[in-house]
């Protein structure tokens, strides 16, 4: 396969993984609102992500725009087979953004309603992102609008919710002091166990795809590293270095996302459309990659600057 196509795929994979790490953590914090009904606790949770959530979602825009420009045939196929969950996910992201931005300016009564909207939007966006990933892994069905909804995609959606909740707990544990951090430590262990059970269930439902990943050197390395991280995270949650569990969980998400990508390579839509078949013309890829080569570093710099300015723990 031409190196240019592989480079284009790598850029999209990088944008996808960055989105999972950054906005996945934000979505986890949003779902954690359900475990923290007190207004002061919710204020602390929302304050940790309010300055950075919009920059985190930039990676989704980059990935979607890059997919359209670099692999237009795949973009068309995905919209054809998955238009309902895709648009529902985007609507959920818009709803949670509105709730997060306006909750601090609303009355107490309206704030509670916005919090409910924030939780629902976070849950739906997380579940649908996992279901979309499950649909691609298991093979897209182009039948009815709900043909994407299968036991595997439902399990994949719940597993994604557990993974995001785990990342959100570690983020809050790092950023907030007091009882909120202690409760997040306990919840993190629960969500880690839940995620492990669900991922094992996914492997049992679709063993062929994950065996393909295991047959590659990269797949073996990612799987072994995932196992080490799963054993290390409970130990790190007991340590005083609060950032270590967060880094370990984010690295675990990188490994699991990488395994899913390795499992479908060189397909973009398994058994339907390969990377080479879906790729745009070389001239188009060159032009788009040059643009992304400028935008991605700037986005990384902005993300890093925002985290640096807002470093430290909230009391």
């Amino acid at each position: 396969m031409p190196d240019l196509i592989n480079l284009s795929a790598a850029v999209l994979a990088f944008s996808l993984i960055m989105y999972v790490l950054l906005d996945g953590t934000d979505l986890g914090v949003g779902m954690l609102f359900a475990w923290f009904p007190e207004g002061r606790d919710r204020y602390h949770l929302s304050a940790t992500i309010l300055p950075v959530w919009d920059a985190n979602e930039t990676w989704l825009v980059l990935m979607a725009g890059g997919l359209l420009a670099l692999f237009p045939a795949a973009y068309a196929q995905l919209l054809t087979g998955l238009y309902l969950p895709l648009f529902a996910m985007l609507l959920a992201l818009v709803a949670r953004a509105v709730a997060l931005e306006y909750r601090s300016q609303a009355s107490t009564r309206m704030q509670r309603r916005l919090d409910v909207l924030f939780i629902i939007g976070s849950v739906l966006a997380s579940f649908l992102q996992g279901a979309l990933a499950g649909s691609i892994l298991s093979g897209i069905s182009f039948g009815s609008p709900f043909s994407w909804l299968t036991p595997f995609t439902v399990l994949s959606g719940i597993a994604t919710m557990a993974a995001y909740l785990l990342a959100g707990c570690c983020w809050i544990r790092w950023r907030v002091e007091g009882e909120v951090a202690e409760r997040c430590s306990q919840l993190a262990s629960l969500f880690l166990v839940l995620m492990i059970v669900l991922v094992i269930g996914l492997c049992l439902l679709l063993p062929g795809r994950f065996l393909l990943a295991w047959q590659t050197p990269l797949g073996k390395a990612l799987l072994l590293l995932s196992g080490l991280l799963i054993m290390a995270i409970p130990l790190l949650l007991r340590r005083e270095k609060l950032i270590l569990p967060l880094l370990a969980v984010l690295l675990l998400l990188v490994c699991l996302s990488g395994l899913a990508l390795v499992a479908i390579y060189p397909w973009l839509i398994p058994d339907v459309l390969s990377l080479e078949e879906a790729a745009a013309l070389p001239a188009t890829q060159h032009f788009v990659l040059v643009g992304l080569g400028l935008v991605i570093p700037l986005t990384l710099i902005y993300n890093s600057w925002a985290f640096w300015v807002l470093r430290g723990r909230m009391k």
Side-chain angles (χ1 to χ4, degrees):
M1 185 177 295
D3 292 338
L4 185 62
I5 296 176
N6 282 327
L7 179 60
S8 298
V11 169
L12 292 185
F14 178 78
S15 299
L16 172 63
I17 291 174
M18 288 299 298
Y19 175 77
V20 168
L21 297 183
L22 297 176
D23 202 50
T25 302
D26 290 355
L27 289 167
V29 173
M31 289 185 285
L32 280 174
F33 266 50
W35 279 268
F36 294 91
E38 297 295 328
R40 183 170 181 82
D41 293 342
R42 288 182 171 181
Y43 166 77
H44 286 132
L45 265 64
S46 63
T48 65
I49 63 172
L50 188 58
V52 297
W53 73 267
D54 50 350
N56 295 342
E57 288 193 354
T58 303
W59 295 101
L60 181 63
V61 177
L62 288 176
M63 185 188 67
L67 181 64
L68 172 61
L70 295 170
F71 299 98
Y75 187 91
Q77 291 271 19
L78 289 171
L79 279 181
T80 301
L82 301 172
Y83 65 89
L84 185 60
L86 276 170
F87 282 108
M89 182 200 71
L90 293 175
L91 182 61
L93 289 174
V94 170
R96 72 183 293 272
V98 171
L100 180 60
E101 288 291 339
Y102 288 100
R103 70 178 305 278
S104 62
Q105 306 171 26
S107 63
T108 302
R109 184 177 180 182
M110 180 57 68
Q111 194 173 88
R112 290 175 185 154
R113 294 177 179 175
L114 290 174
D115 286 348
V116 172
L117 181 63
F118 187 52
I119 294 170
I120 294 173
S122 300
V123 168
L124 281 177
S126 303
F127 173 80
L128 289 170
Q129 286 175 15
L132 287 165
S135 297
I136 294 173
L137 273 172
S138 59
I140 300 174
S141 175
F142 296 94
S144 69
F146 293 95
S147 58
W148 57 274
L149 200 59
T150 65
F152 184 85
T153 60
V154 170
L155 201 64
S156 180
I158 299 173
T160 302
M161 290 171 59
Y164 287 175
L165 280 163
L166 174 60
C169 284
C170 292
W171 168 263
I172 295 300
R173 184 177 179 271
W174 178 49
R175 292 300 311 275
V176 180
E177 294 181 353
E179 184 181 345
V180 173
E182 294 175 5
R183 195 187 304 180
C184 281
S185 295
Q186 299 170 357
L187 289 172
S189 300
L190 172 65
F191 294 133
L192 176 62
V193 172
L194 179 61
M195 186 190 72
I196 294 169
V197 171
L198 292 169
V199 170
I200 292 174
L202 291 172
C203 294
L204 293 176
L205 283 176
L206 197 67
R209 190 63 60 190
F210 293 99
L211 284 174
L212 289 175
W214 173 254
Q215 291 171 3
T216 65
L218 180 58
K220 286 184 175 69
L222 291 173
L223 190 58
L224 292 174
L225 182 56
S226 298
L228 292 174
L229 290 168
I230 287 170
M231 291 186 289
I233 289 171
L235 301 176
L236 293 175
L237 286 170
R238 302 175 185 175
R239 301 287 297 273
E240 294 183 1
K241 291 287 187 180
L242 301 176
I243 196 172
L244 292 180
L246 176 62
L247 294 177
V249 168
L250 294 180
L251 184 55
L252 177 59
L253 293 182
V254 171
C255 292
L256 295 177
S257 301
L259 278 170
L261 294 172
V262 171
I264 64 173
Y265 183 83
W267 298 95
L268 213 159
I269 301 176
D271 303 322
V272 175
L273 199 63
S274 69
L275 290 170
E276 194 167 4
E277 292 169 340
L281 294 174
T284 302
Q285 293 187 62
H286 278 293
F287 179 79
V288 175
L289 288 174
V290 169
L292 290 175
L294 297 174
V295 173
I296 287 178
L298 290 175
T299 307
L300 284 170
I301 292 170
Y302 177 73
N303 271 131
S304 303
W305 176 79
F307 287 129
W308 175 256
V309 170
L310 300 165
R311 66 190 183 278
R313 304 188 73 193
M314 297 182 59
K315 298 181 180 180

